[in-house]
């Protein structure tokens, strides 16, 4: 009976930890604005992403300027040139960070009911206003006239249904400290209750290593899912939306996979310690019998 109880507690601990660990990552990197900026920030400095971003940015900046017909033919080429070099401007890093913070505030809901979701959900949006304004300011300073700046330049990167799902995910992920504490208590109770604590610890280690492997496989599959979504929405969304989404997924994978391997490592260590403890306990038992 004690063995069954210990095994059940180990299973509960693994289930709780399996939800808590990704919840902690989501809370840190997606729900919190600082974490989101830290995660997505390097996208703005990636040469490949910059090259594709500036192409799309030229179109958005030209449309946002709403130039009079008489000036359009003169200024639009200048806007394209400024957009192509905007990443080299001194104000670009701050403008990119501002873009990410604005986009986070627009897209990640702060008040969510886990059961009913988000009240009046909105599409997920990328707010390029700071970067577009920077490009237009560069054009204006170059020709000595003020180029009209947009009040906002919003690019939809996901439907309203995704904001509902994101809000519910954020609400659940916020529970990770309680879930992780409960997981730790369940694991300790399992060790206290178990007849063979070394075996129970080894079993717990194997389960944790499996969780790490599952996390790694899930993150490895994420870029393929993003590419598939881009193919499905190729005719309905802005290219910059797909670029940002795929870049963000790639950054998330880059950040999450080492953590997944760390979880595997912790599981392996616990398994080895458990097996060693079991062997030592067996050796002491044989010595006492002799």
């Amino acid at each position: 009976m004690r063995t069954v109880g210990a095994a059940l507690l180990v299973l509960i601990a693994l289930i709780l930890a399996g939800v808590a660990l990704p919840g902690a990552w989501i809370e840190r990197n997606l729900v919190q604005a600082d974490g989101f900026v830290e995660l997505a920030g390097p996208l703005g400095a990636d040469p490949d992403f910059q090259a594709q971003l500036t192409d799309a940015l030229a179109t958005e900046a030209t449309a946002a300027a709403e130039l009079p017909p008489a000036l359009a033919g003169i200024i639009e080429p200048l806007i394209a040139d400024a957009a192509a070099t905007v990443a080299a401007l001194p104000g670009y890093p701050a403008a990119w960070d501002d873009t990410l913070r604005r986009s986070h505030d627009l897209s990640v809901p702060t008040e969510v009911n886990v059961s009913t979701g988000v009240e009046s959900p909105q599409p997920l949006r990328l707010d390029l206003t700071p970067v577009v304004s920077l490009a237009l300011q560069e054009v204006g300073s170059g020709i000595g006239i003020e180029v009209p700046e947009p009040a906002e330049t919003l690019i939809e990167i996901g439907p309203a249904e995704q904001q509902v799902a994101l809000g519910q995910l954020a609400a659940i992920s916020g529970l990770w400290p309680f879930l992780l504490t409960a997981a730790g208590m369940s694991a300790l109770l399992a060790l206290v209750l178990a007849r063979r604590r070394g075996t129970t610890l080894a079993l717990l280690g194997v389960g944790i290593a499996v969780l790490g492997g599952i996390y790694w496989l899930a993150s490895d599959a994420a870029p393929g899912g993003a590419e598939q979504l881009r193919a499905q929405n190729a005719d309905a969304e802005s290219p910059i939306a797909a670029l940002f989404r795929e870049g963000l997924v790639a950054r998330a994978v880059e950040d999450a996979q080492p953590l997944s391997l760390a979880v595997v490592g912790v599981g392996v260590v616990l398994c080895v310690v458990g097996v060693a403890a079991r062997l030592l306990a067996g050796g002491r038992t044989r010595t006492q019998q002799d």
Side-chain angles (χ1 to χ4, degrees):
M1 192 66 179
R2 289 176 60 183
T3 300
V4 174
L8 182 60
L9 286 169
V10 167
L11 180 60
I12 292 172
L14 291 174
I15 292 173
L16 293 173
V19 177
L21 294 177
W25 187 92
I26 291 169
E27 172 76 14
R28 171 67 181 85
N29 294 285
L30 295 181
V31 178
Q32 295 182 13
D34 288 343
F36 179 76
V37 171
E38 184 178 342
L39 177 69
L43 282 178
D46 180 81
D48 294 333
F49 182 79
Q50 281 183 1
Q52 299 179 72
L53 172 65
T54 53
D55 289 342
L57 193 62
T59 301
E60 298 296 337
T62 301
E66 298 180 351
L67 298 169
L71 294 176
I74 299 173
I75 297 182
E76 284 181 4
L78 300 177
I79 292 177
D81 291 342
T85 59
V86 70
L89 297 176
Y92 174 73
W96 178 246
D97 283 355
D98 194 16
T99 284
L100 294 177
R101 289 188 182 279
R102 290 181 179 218
S103 303
H104 182 274
D105 292 344
L106 284 171
S107 299
V108 180
T110 55
E111 296 183 4
V112 184
N113 186 298
V114 177
S115 58
T116 61
V118 180
E119 184 178 350
S120 301
Q122 300 293 323
L124 303 182
R125 290 168 292 180
L126 181 64
D127 188 348
L128 287 174
T129 307
V131 182
V132 170
S133 295
L134 181 65
L136 294 178
Q137 288 170 10
E138 180 68 9
V139 173
S141 63
I143 61 177
I145 65 172
E146 185 176 348
V147 179
E149 295 182 19
E152 59 181 17
T153 303
L154 304 179
I155 306 297
E156 185 173 325
I157 58 176
E161 292 79 6
Q162 290 185 4
Q163 190 186 56
V164 174
L166 180 60
Q168 292 175 324
L169 186 63
I172 294 172
S173 67
L175 300 175
W176 76 265
F178 306 101
L179 296 175
L180 194 59
T181 300
M185 292 177 62
S186 295
L188 288 175
L189 287 173
L191 292 173
V192 170
L193 184 63
R195 291 182 181 276
R196 298 178 177 178
R197 294 192 176 105
T199 302
T200 301
L201 185 60
L203 180 62
L204 185 63
V206 169
I208 291 174
V210 169
L211 283 179
I214 292 172
Y215 298 153
W216 194 92
L217 291 173
S219 62
D220 193 53
E227 291 177 5
Q228 193 173 42
L229 187 60
R230 180 177 189 175
Q232 291 173 352
N233 299 331
D235 299 330
E237 70 177 358
S238 166
I240 198 171
L243 291 174
F244 179 78
R245 184 172 57 244
E246 290 179 7
L248 183 61
V249 168
R251 283 286 302 136
V253 171
E254 183 181 339
D255 185 81
Q257 284 195 334
L259 298 177
S260 300
L261 294 178
V263 173
V264 172
V266 170
V268 170
V269 169
L270 290 178
C271 183
V272 170
V273 171
V275 170
R278 178 65 187 138
L279 292 175
L280 288 173
R284 285 196 299 267
T285 300
R286 285 193 297 270
T287 300
Q288 291 173 357
Q289 289 176 348
D290 292 341

